[in-house]
Amino acid sequence: MMDRCRCCVLAGCAIIVLAVAAVEPVSFKDTFIKDCETKAKSTHCEEVWSAFEQAHVNQDHCQVPPEAYDHLLLSVAPPQPNENRMLFWSEIKAVAHQVAKGCYQMLSDTLLGSVLDGKVWCGKKGSKETFTVGCPGWSFCVNNTVKSFWSRASAAFAAVAKGKVVVLLNGDSPTPFNPTSVFARIEVLGFKRDRVTSLTVVLVTKNEVGANCTNASLDNLQDQLKTGITYICKKMTESQLIECTDANRKTCEACW
Ligand SMILES: NC(=O)c1ccc[n+]([C@@H]2O[C@H](COP(=O)([O-])OP(=O)(O)OC[C@H]3O[C@@H](n4cnc5c(N)ncnc54)[C@H](O)[C@@H]3O)[C@@H](O)[C@H]2O)c1
């Protein structure tokens, strides 16, 4: 009788432990480290986490400037350039991912880009924690934790860009080179004349209508590009671009 009671108590305890483990939320740090090891295949993920954490913990979520990520992006996990294979984009993320796959490197293929793409995080004054709820939206304040990270990461990615660089722009937008976009505000201005030889704009449209290479916003792009960097523009429909990149996947020959 005693043994049966003891068994029941032990079984009860085991169920409680399992239930608690099942509802225990996975911390942002655990997901970060797991993605760092599996997606980015890095071997120094604890060091990367620690530099990432220093940028935002114990900070008001609207007072994290892009420079807060300097140490992380310049020293601990700087983006590694891939000459003639770097791809930028604006307002056309899904197509850019399809085109780049296996052939071009986007910011979201870098160590930090792959770990943080799609994630939201912020800190709080007086707390050592990283939060994922209650963080301000992208446009809520200028220096928000997430926006500042992507601004700083984009600047670092553009600064190391080398050789022939390509950008996919949305030809169905009235201003494919949108002055408020990260590409216009940060990346174009960050290309270095001694590293980047040319910028090819691929203007991607759903069908034959839509903007073409004479679009006024592209004049602004050319004005902002440093002298010495050759400007090339080509209009393509989304289906032409996808068909060609799929056909060229093995050789990675450019479609523009
Ligand atoms: N997740 C990423 O990979 C990422 C995010 C930001 C910037 N970038 C870099 O900058 C360029 C793209 O940025 P862009 O501004 O030119 O194009 P974009 O306007 O399409 O914005 C790019 C991304 O920024 C975020 N974003 C922008 N405005 C937002 C808003 N109002 N609310 C919530 N999220 C918002 C979204 O994640 C969006 O997919 C690329 O060349 C890339 O290198 C990459």
mmCIF file of all heavy atoms in Angstrom, residues 6 20 154 167 169 180 186 205 214 234:
data_model
loop_
_atom_site.group_PDB
_atom_site.id
_atom_site.type_symbol
_atom_site.label_atom_id
_atom_site.label_comp_id
_atom_site.label_asym_id
_atom_site.label_seq_id
_atom_site.Cartn_x
_atom_site.Cartn_y
_atom_site.Cartn_z
ATOM 1 N N ARG A 6 3.685 5.738 -2.791
ATOM 2 C CA ARG A 6 4.931 6.409 -3.188
ATOM 3 C C ARG A 6 5.006 6.534 -4.710
ATOM 4 O O ARG A 6 5.404 7.565 -5.256
ATOM 5 C CB ARG A 6 6.127 5.614 -2.655
ATOM 6 C CG ARG A 6 7.383 6.500 -2.632
ATOM 7 C CD ARG A 6 8.604 5.806 -2.102
ATOM 8 N NE ARG A 6 8.483 5.456 -0.708
ATOM 9 C CZ ARG A 6 9.097 4.408 -0.167
ATOM 10 N NH1 ARG A 6 9.824 3.603 -0.910
ATOM 11 N NH2 ARG A 6 8.981 4.135 1.116
ATOM 12 N N VAL A 20 5.456 21.714 -16.421
ATOM 13 C CA VAL A 20 6.149 23.001 -16.266
ATOM 14 C C VAL A 20 7.139 23.194 -17.412
ATOM 15 O O VAL A 20 7.198 24.253 -18.036
ATOM 16 C CB VAL A 20 6.859 23.080 -14.883
ATOM 17 C CG1 VAL A 20 7.793 24.283 -14.823
ATOM 18 C CG2 VAL A 20 5.826 23.157 -13.774
ATOM 19 N N SER A 154 22.928 47.421 -42.202
ATOM 20 C CA SER A 154 22.898 47.769 -43.629
ATOM 21 C C SER A 154 24.104 48.632 -43.984
ATOM 22 O O SER A 154 24.709 48.463 -45.054
ATOM 23 C CB SER A 154 21.606 48.514 -43.976
ATOM 24 O OG SER A 154 20.499 47.709 -43.657
ATOM 25 N N VAL A 167 21.118 45.690 -57.259
ATOM 26 C CA VAL A 167 19.977 45.977 -56.381
ATOM 27 C C VAL A 167 18.690 45.703 -57.159
ATOM 28 O O VAL A 167 18.548 46.090 -58.319
ATOM 29 C CB VAL A 167 19.999 47.433 -55.834
ATOM 30 C CG1 VAL A 167 19.920 48.486 -56.928
ATOM 31 C CG2 VAL A 167 18.846 47.631 -54.830
ATOM 32 N N LEU A 169 14.910 46.664 -57.437
ATOM 33 C CA LEU A 169 13.969 47.702 -56.990
ATOM 34 C C LEU A 169 12.584 47.378 -57.522
ATOM 35 O O LEU A 169 12.436 46.762 -58.584
ATOM 36 C CB LEU A 169 14.412 49.084 -57.485
ATOM 37 C CG LEU A 169 15.750 49.609 -56.951
ATOM 38 C CD1 LEU A 169 16.045 51.006 -57.502
ATOM 39 C CD2 LEU A 169 15.786 49.631 -55.422
ATOM 40 N N THR A 180 13.018 57.372 -48.452
ATOM 41 C CA THR A 180 12.937 57.021 -47.022
ATOM 42 C C THR A 180 13.400 55.578 -46.753
ATOM 43 O O THR A 180 13.449 55.143 -45.609
ATOM 44 C CB THR A 180 11.497 57.195 -46.473
ATOM 45 O OG1 THR A 180 10.657 56.248 -47.143
ATOM 46 C CG2 THR A 180 10.964 58.598 -46.679
ATOM 47 N N ILE A 186 20.832 54.768 -46.552
ATOM 48 C CA ILE A 186 22.056 54.232 -45.949
ATOM 49 C C ILE A 186 22.974 53.500 -46.934
ATOM 50 O O ILE A 186 24.165 53.791 -47.005
ATOM 51 C CB ILE A 186 21.684 53.294 -44.775
ATOM 52 C CG1 ILE A 186 20.951 54.119 -43.709
ATOM 53 C CG2 ILE A 186 22.898 52.580 -44.200
ATOM 54 C CD1 ILE A 186 20.287 53.318 -42.629
ATOM 55 N N THR A 205 9.087 44.380 -62.391
ATOM 56 C CA THR A 205 7.659 44.711 -62.476
ATOM 57 C C THR A 205 6.854 43.416 -62.587
ATOM 58 O O THR A 205 7.361 42.400 -63.051
ATOM 59 C CB THR A 205 7.366 45.578 -63.717
ATOM 60 O OG1 THR A 205 7.898 44.911 -64.857
ATOM 61 C CG2 THR A 205 7.989 46.960 -63.612
ATOM 62 N N THR A 214 13.814 55.252 -67.015
ATOM 63 C CA THR A 214 13.807 56.714 -67.074
ATOM 64 C C THR A 214 13.068 57.317 -65.874
ATOM 65 O O THR A 214 12.926 58.537 -65.782
ATOM 66 C CB THR A 214 13.142 57.216 -68.380
ATOM 67 O OG1 THR A 214 11.812 56.661 -68.428
ATOM 68 C CG2 THR A 214 13.913 56.779 -69.610
ATOM 69 N N LYS A 234 18.352 47.977 -65.729
ATOM 70 C CA LYS A 234 17.649 47.055 -66.617
ATOM 71 C C LYS A 234 16.264 46.781 -66.040
ATOM 72 O O LYS A 234 16.124 46.566 -64.832
ATOM 73 C CB LYS A 234 18.454 45.751 -66.712
ATOM 74 C CG LYS A 234 17.815 44.786 -67.667
ATOM 75 C CD LYS A 234 18.749 43.698 -68.106
ATOM 76 C CE LYS A 234 17.988 42.836 -69.117
ATOM 77 N NZ LYS A 234 18.663 41.650 -69.507
#
